[in-house]
Every structure is written in structure tokens, then in C-alpha cells.
């Protein structure tokens, strides 16, 4: 009796004539995330993708597959010929295993989907027959409203029998919605923003700003760890690291103190815009959240956006901080994000930052600065690292 992981695809099945492109990309992502782990054939059949299990490593397979965007549910199945004797054997085995692991389970319900419409019984008749098998062999009862467990029967050319439906992240396969450059700090928000955009099919690379030696090498390593975490959900990524200390010194020397933060943010956006143009990114992504800090007021965001023609995605813009923290914990970036290493945004931090900047006012303040030269010099000294977390995460 073979075992497979049945992968439900969610919104991918609604893609019409383009569906095959999304499914093909999903299969590539599955293969990438399963590299280094034993598995059998990966195949697509009637709206689901299947991964054959070839060794006792189901937990590892499930943990890896959870990180593949496009998968909504993972179901460990027994797959048998569509023959009642074989189906009964699979049902008995899966229920026996379930009750052994959960001895308090007393009720069940059968759910059947019949993809093979040539089969002589309809879904309700198949469910009734399977239910009879379970009642005959086990001390459990049927509860159609609130059962302790379900027995699922997916009848196609072969029949798939399973009990567990393990929730995955859903979304769209990596890269099916273009490429984005994420402004990645060492905080809680930006890794979550990168995760959410990757979930929508954006291939994410990361841009980090630091102020070494005012910020430490350990702070840089912390952010690289966050980039690695993002890569485990998306793909191997490019990590750009830019030192903006010289820019911050010039701002501090030539501009009003209360505008330090917003002008620094504009320089970050200038650098991001140049890197995005030079490397053909479709968008810029930030972890900004409306009203969270002084530079993230509506006026502040207007002034920052004035720098670039690229679309700027802010997936956290209206989220509650508690919700953001919950996602960070769920994707295992929270503990790294709260490590107490300094951030470049804390360098020359004004006591009373300006909350209502205007484009005209900030441009006037920037006149003493050689903006293009400062940006060019910062980019010329940046370091570029390739980061891949597909094999390190989800052991």
C-alpha cells in the first residue's frame, strides 16, 4: 500500500488557461524545498499535486512542504486501486492508526469526493459504505455535526484515503508575481512584510542599511539570519548591504535635527530605487505600519514615496502590532527580530522628530546635500551576498 502527500492548491485551481504555468512553478518550488530529503515521484492529478513517500520521513516532508507557497493543505494519504477490498484495507489501516494515536476519539464522519464520475456509486453512497466499514471494525459512532475525526475518501483513477488535513500557508508560487526588493531591518515588521509579499508570488530579495561601526557586525549577522528565514519560504535570495553612516553624518551636519529621520528614509528610498532600476525589480517592499513611528505618518509616507516611480508595497500598513507579532512567531522570525542589537535608524535619532513634513519643505532642507553623489558612493561600497535557507530551515 503506497503512501503519498496530497497537496491541495487553493486559488491556483481558479487560474483558468494559465493554471498549468502556476502548477508547473509550484512543482519546481516543491522540488527545490525538498532537495536533500528522500521522496518519490511528484505528479499532478485532477487539481492536486502528490508527492510519493519512500521512507519514514513524513514529518520532515510535511515541515518542508508547509513552506511552499501555493499549498493550502497537506494530507498524508494511503493510495490504492479503486477496488472495494483495497479501499477497505486502507480505511481500516488509517482509522486504526488514528485511534491508536488518539484513544479518546469516539465519533467520526466520512467525506467523499468522486473525481471519477464513471464509478457506479455517488459520493453519498460511497461515504455510507465506508462508514459501515468503520462501524463494523471499530468501537466508534457516526456524528455528522461535530465528529472527533473525519475519514476522507478522494476517489479518482486511484483512491486516496486519509484523516489529517494539515494547514499550509496557501498563496501563490514564488516568482509568479514578479520580483521585489525588501527593505529589511532587524526589527519585527520587515521580515513579516517580506513573507506576506512572497506569499503573493513575489520573488523577494533584501536590502539592508547599517551604520558600521556605529552598528555592530553582530547586528548585520542578525539581519542575514532574518534574510535566510525569508529565503526558506521564497527562494535563494540576494542580500544587499549598504552603509549609510556617511549620509547620516551629512544630514546631521546640514539639516534640521527634527528632520533627521525622514531625510534618512528618503536616502534609503533613493538607494533602493537605484538598485531596483539597475537590477530590474518590479517593486519595493517595506515593513512600514501607519502611525507606528514618526516617519510612518501619512505625510511622512508621502514625502518618502516622492523619491521613486516604483510601486511601493506596504503589506503591514493597516495591521495591528499584535497581529504582526503573531505572524512573526508563526514564521519563526520573532525570536531573531527581538535580539538586542542596534539598528541604523537609532543613529542620530532626534528627540522630537517632525510629524508633518512636506515634500517642498524637505527638498529645501536637502539643498545643502549632494544627494546623487552620496547615493552613488554608498552603492559603490555595498556588499552583495547570496543567501539560501531552503536546506537549513525546517529540519
Amino acid at each position: 500500500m503506497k503512501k503519498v502527500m496530497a497537496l491541495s492548491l487553493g486559488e491556483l485551481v481558479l487560474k483558468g488557461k494559465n493554471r498549468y504555468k502556476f502548477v508547473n512553478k509550484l512543482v519546481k518550488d516543491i522540488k527545490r524545498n525538498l532537495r536533500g530529503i528522500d521522496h518519490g515521484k511528484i505528479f499532478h492529478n485532477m487539481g492536486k499535486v502528490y508527492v510519493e513517500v519512500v521512507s519514514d520521513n513524513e514529518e520532515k516532508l510535511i515541515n518542508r512542504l508547509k513552506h511552499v507557497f501555493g499549498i493550502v493543505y497537506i494530507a498524508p494519504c494511503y493510495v490504492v486501486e479503486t477496488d472495494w477490498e483495497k479501499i477497505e484495507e486502507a480505511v481500516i489501516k488509517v482509522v486504526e492508526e488514528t485511534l491508536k494515536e488518539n484513544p479518546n476519539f469516539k465519533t467520526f464522519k466520512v467525506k467523499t469526493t468522486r473525481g471519477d464520475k464513471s464509478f457506479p456509486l455517488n459520493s453519498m453512497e460511497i461515504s455510507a459504505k465506508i462508514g459501515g466499514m468503520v462501524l463494523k471494525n471499530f468501537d466508534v459512532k457516526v456524528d455528522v455535526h461535530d465528529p472527533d475525526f473525519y475519514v476522507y475518501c478522494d476517489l479518482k483513477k486511484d483512491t486516496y484515503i486519509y484523516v489529517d488535513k494539515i494547514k499550509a500557508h496557501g498563496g501563490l508560487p514564488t516568482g509568479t508575481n514578479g520580483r521585489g526588493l525588501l527593505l529589511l531591518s532587524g526589527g519585527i515588521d520587515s521580515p513579516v512584510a517580506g513573507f506576506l509579499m512572497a506569499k503573493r508570488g513575489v520573488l523577494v530579495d533584501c536590502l539592508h542599511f547599517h551604520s558600521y561601526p556605529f552598528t555592530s557586525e553582530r547586528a548585520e549577522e542578525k539581519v542575514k539570519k532574518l534574510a535566510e528565514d525569508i529565503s526558506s519560504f521564497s527562494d535563494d535570495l540576494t542580500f544587499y548591504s549598504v552603509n549609510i553612516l556617511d549620509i547620516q553624518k551629512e544630514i546631521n551636519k546640514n539639516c534640521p535635527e527634527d528632520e533627521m529621520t525622514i531625510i534618512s528614509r528618503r536616502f534609503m528610498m533613493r538607494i533602493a530605487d537605484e538598485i531596483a532600476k539597475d537590477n530590474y525589480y518590479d517593486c519595493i517592499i517595506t515593513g512600514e505600519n501607519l502611525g507606528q513611528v514618526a516617519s510612518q505618518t501619512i505625510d511622512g509616507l508621502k514625502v518618502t514615496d516622492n523619491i521613486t516611480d516604483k510601486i511601493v508595497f506596504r503589506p503591514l500598513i493597516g495591521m495591528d502590532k499584535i497581529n504582526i507579532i503573531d505572524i512573526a512567531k508563526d514564521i519563526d522570525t520573532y525570536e531573531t527580530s527581538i535580539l538586542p542589537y542596534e539598528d541604523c535608524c537609532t543613529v542620530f535619532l532626534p528627540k522630537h522628530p517632525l510629524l508633518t513634513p512636506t515634500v517642498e519643505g524637505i527638498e529645501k532642507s536637502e539643498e545643502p546635500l549632494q544627494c546623487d553623489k552620496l547615493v552613488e558612493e554608498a552603492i559603490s561600497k555595498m556588499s552583495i551576498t547570496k543567501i539560501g535557507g531552503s536546506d537549513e530551515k525546517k529540519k
Side-chain angles (χ1 to χ4, degrees), residues 69-98:
F69 291 127
I71 300 171
V72 178
Y73 289 105
I74 305 163
C77 303
Y78 286 108
V79 54
V80 295
E81 297 173 25
T82 301
D83 170 85
W84 276 117
E85 186 175 329
K86 299 290 186 182
I87 292 172
E88 181 172 7
E89 183 183 347
V91 169
I92 298 302
K93 188 169 180 62
V94 76
V95 174
E96 192 174 66
E97 291 174 351
T98 301

Side-chain angles (χ1 to χ4, degrees), residues 258-267 295 300 303-304 357 362:
D258 64 348
E259 296 176 0
M260 179 76 200
T261 300
I262 191 66
I263 294 176
S264 295
R265 291 293 297 179
R266 278 167 62 88
F267 270 95
S295 63
V303 170
T304 306
I362 296 300

Side-chain angles (χ1 to χ4, degrees), residues 177-181 202 276 279-284 310-311 313:
N177 257 332
R179 302 172 66 235
L181 184 63
V202 177
N279 296 277
Y280 306 103
Y281 290 101
D282 301 296
C283 63
I284 295 169
K310 292 284 184 183
I311 185 169
F313 284 118

Side-chain angles (χ1 to χ4, degrees), residues 288 290 295-305 314 317:
E288 290 165 313
L290 188 62
S295 63
Q296 295 175 23
T297 63
I298 288 178
D299 291 319
L301 297 177
K302 284 181 184 177
V303 170
T304 306
D305 278 357
R314 297 180 172 94
I317 194 68

